[in-house]
Each structure stands twice: as structure tokens, then as C-alpha cells.
Amino acid sequence: MIKFYNRKKGTYEIEKVAADRALKWIYGSRLVGAGLLHFLIKRKIASRFYGFYCDLPMSKKKIDKFIREFDIDIDRFEVPEGGFKNFNEFFYRRLKKDKIKIEKDNNILISPCDGKVLAYQDIDIDMILQVKDITYSLRELISDDEVAKQYDKGTCLIFRLCPSDYHRFHFVDEGKCEKTRKIKGCYYSVNPVALDRVEKLFCENKREWSIFHSKNFGDILYVEVGATFVGSIVQTYKPNVDVSKGDEKGYFKFGASTIILFLKENTVEIDEDILEQTSKGFETSVSIGERIGIKKEG
């Protein structure tokens, strides 16, 4: 059971999880489940095979059931004439432009996506918290010691996208983004069940990272982490070209995924409710363009 904080309602809710029982069995079993995880599920071939299936026309039969099961408001999204060609096209569907509400104030830090966030300030780059008692280092995450050192004592924001979420991600400010670096890895689930059992999971999984030179928040490190059955991380932006706040950066194909943002020391004050829920061990649900913090003065 995954409990999260809905800041709009001020209440705690239970997340609907795709294949919840299967995840608990795979990541909780010491024998059969663990063997299946090691020899098949975490490997690229399983995600590539399922991604191939989700690109086939026959996969679109999954769409209606998925919409019903997860109460997706399809009216928020652009639907191609004739409908979606396959499940993947539905999965990385676009929001209608009038449904994207971007906080315009330049001093406001926004969420880059729909999802659930954990926030940590004054971080130790050698002991970034994955879950209680499990840590990893930024050096391990991006395989670049010089870049990692720049974010010591800064802010770390972890956005988890579950399969029912909108799976496109955006820029949190105006600026320019450098080219993306890609790091090969496994395909573990990023569900909290897996995070609690696989040490340094984010450093094990396939991931991509880039430095975004933002106008109002300095150099922001974007890290996109793949997960079980994520066929691809697709970057849609053009490197070193001016972008506006809220412009699309990329999208994930099928599967739950994670976006991690790192901001430098004395750059931003994260909203108190998000920090409070993180300290209690709860993620906070956020929407693309929603305020999550404010620029630090001085």
C-alpha cells in the first residue's frame, strides 16, 4: 500500500498500483521472485520485448481498461483523429495546451511533471537518501565527479511517475539545456516496494542526465531514470537552444519512471508542506507547472 499526500485537498490517499501483487511477490520473494527479477525483469530484453508489444496495433485493446482502472480523465489529453494507434501512443499522450497551467512568476520553481515528489535540502552528495537507511552518491548516479561536487549542500527533488501519470516532462524555467549524457543500466521498478529492497536502485537503472542553464535558478541538473518496461527515454528538446518555462523536454515510453532535479546551494526554498511530508516519509502529489518552491533571496 502506497500512501501519499494530496496537497490540493490536504488529505492522505492510497495510490492505485499497476500489478501491485506481482511487484510485492517479485521484490519480496527470496527465491522464485528474486530469481525472475535477476534473470529477466531487470534486464533490457524484457523491457525491449514489452516495449515492442506496446508499439503494435493489437496493444491498443489495453487502453480502455487502463483508463477505467486508473480513472484517467481522457478529456485533458489530445486524442488523434481515429484514436491512438497503440498503447505506447496513448501512454505518452500530450496534454491539451489549455490544461497545462504554468506558474509564470520567475521567482517560483515549478514541478516539471505530474507525479509524486520527495524533497531534500542541504544534501550530502555522498549520502543522498533513496529511502530510509538506503543512500547513494551523486557521483555514482551521473558518473561525473566534477559535476557532482557542484551540488553539495544543494537541493534534491525526486519525482516519481507511476504508469497512470502523464509521462511528458518539462523545463522548470527559461534557459538553455546542454546535450544529454546516457548511462546504460538495469530496469528495476521505481515503485517504493522496489526502492526499499534494491540498494542504490537509481544508480543501477538506465538513466540520462543533462545540465540546464536556467535564467532564475542557476545550473539545474536533470536526471531521468528508466524503470521496468520503460522502452525508451525520449528527449524532444534541442541542445543549447533557448527554451521557455514549461516547454517540453522529453517523455517516457511505457512504465513507471523517475525524474531527479538537483539545484545548487542557496538557490531555492522548497515549499514547507512538501518538506514536512518528506520528513514524515510521504510523497506529495504535484502537477506539471505547479509551484513547489521559491527562489532564495541573495
Side-chain angles (χ1 to χ4, degrees):
M1 181 176 70
I2 302 172
K3 195 176 183 181
F4 67 91
Y5 180 67
N6 184 326
R7 69 190 311 213
K8 296 179 182 66
K9 297 180 179 178
T11 59
Y12 293 98
E13 298 181 5
I14 305 300
E15 180 180 314
K16 293 183 178 181
V17 179
D20 186 37
R21 290 182 180 178
L23 280 170
K24 289 177 180 177
W25 176 70
I26 290 168
Y27 287 91
S29 168
R30 294 183 179 180
L31 296 174
V32 182
L36 187 64
L37 174 66
H38 179 73
F39 290 107
L40 180 61
I41 293 173
K42 76 171 188 177
R43 300 189 181 278
K44 183 177 182 178
I45 188 170
S47 292
R48 177 172 286 183
F49 177 81
Y50 198 75
F52 173 75
Y53 166 73
C54 288
D55 281 333
L56 295 176
M58 69 175 68
S59 67
K60 66 182 180 181
K61 64 185 179 181
K62 292 164 50 73
I63 296 174
D64 288 343
K65 181 182 177 183
F66 195 88
I67 290 172
R68 290 193 305 271
E69 186 175 351
F70 292 99
D71 300 321
I72 294 171
D73 182 4
I74 200 63
D75 289 337
R76 295 177 62 216
F77 299 95
E78 296 179 1
V79 179
E81 187 175 348
F84 297 104
K85 296 177 183 177
N86 52 52
F87 188 79
N88 246 336
E89 189 176 63
F90 158 74
F91 185 76
Y92 54 78
R93 60 199 178 272
R94 293 180 183 275
L95 277 169
K96 292 177 180 176
K97 289 184 179 180
D98 64 347
K99 299 297 183 182
I100 301 178
K101 308 296 183 183
I102 303 295
E103 174 59 66
K104 298 298 185 183
D105 188 331
N106 289 333
N107 292 316
I108 298 297
L109 181 69
I110 62 170
S111 172
C113 60
D114 286 358
K116 297 175 181 71
V117 65
L118 294 170
Y120 305 97
Q121 296 195 302
D122 192 28
I123 61 170
D124 179 343
I125 58 169
D126 292 319
M127 295 185 66
I128 301 170
L129 196 63
Q130 176 173 298
V131 291
K132 185 180 179 181
D133 299 327
I134 299 180
T135 62
Y136 61 95
S137 78
L138 185 50
R139 295 180 179 87
E140 293 173 296
L141 183 66
I142 64 172
S143 300
D144 191 313
D145 186 56
E146 290 304 311
V147 171
K149 286 190 291 188
Q150 298 175 36
Y151 294 89
D152 196 34
K153 306 301 179 184
T155 297
C156 173
L157 297 162
I158 304 172
F159 300 87
R160 180 177 62 86
L161 290 69
C162 67
S164 57
D165 283 324
Y166 165 67
H167 263 68
R168 292 178 182 264
F169 46 94
H170 300 250
F171 289 108
V172 297
D173 192 20
E174 59 181 300
K176 292 182 180 180
C177 192
E178 295 182 6
K179 69 176 183 179
T180 295
R181 285 82 161 177
K182 300 183 179 184
I183 302 175
K184 295 180 179 179
C186 300
Y187 293 81
Y188 289 110
S189 169
V190 294
N191 183 287
V193 173
L195 291 171
D196 195 41
R197 288 170 172 78
V198 180
E199 291 195 14
K200 301 183 180 181
L201 186 151
F202 295 139
C203 301
E204 292 284 340
N205 273 16
K206 171 186 176 180
R207 55 207 183 275
E208 301 185 359
W209 66 273
S210 53
I211 297 175
F212 175 48
H213 303 291
S214 83
K215 181 178 179 180
N216 298 291
F217 297 94
D219 289 350
I220 301 175
L221 175 60
Y222 266 77
V223 184
E224 293 93 24
V225 183
T228 303
F229 301 141
V230 173
S232 301
I233 303 170
V234 181
Q235 305 288 347
T236 57
Y237 77 98
K238 293 183 179 180
N240 302 309
V241 173
D242 287 327
V243 297
S244 298
K245 189 176 188 178
D247 281 355
E248 183 181 298
K249 185 177 188 291
Y251 63 86
F252 296 99
K253 289 192 176 181
F254 183 73
S257 318
T258 300
I259 298 164
I260 310 175
L261 299 187
F262 293 90
L263 293 92
K264 293 182 179 179
E265 185 180 11
N266 294 322
T267 300
V268 65
E269 292 271 4
I270 300 302
D271 288 347
E272 188 59 38
D273 62 333
I274 295 175
L275 292 173
E276 180 184 356
Q277 294 305 320
T278 299
S279 70
K280 293 178 178 178
F282 295 110
E283 298 169 304
T284 299
S285 60
V286 291
S287 302
I288 167 64
E290 177 181 338
R291 170 183 165 147
I292 57 172
I294 190 165
K295 185 176 179 179
K296 210 168 189 177
E297 295 298 331

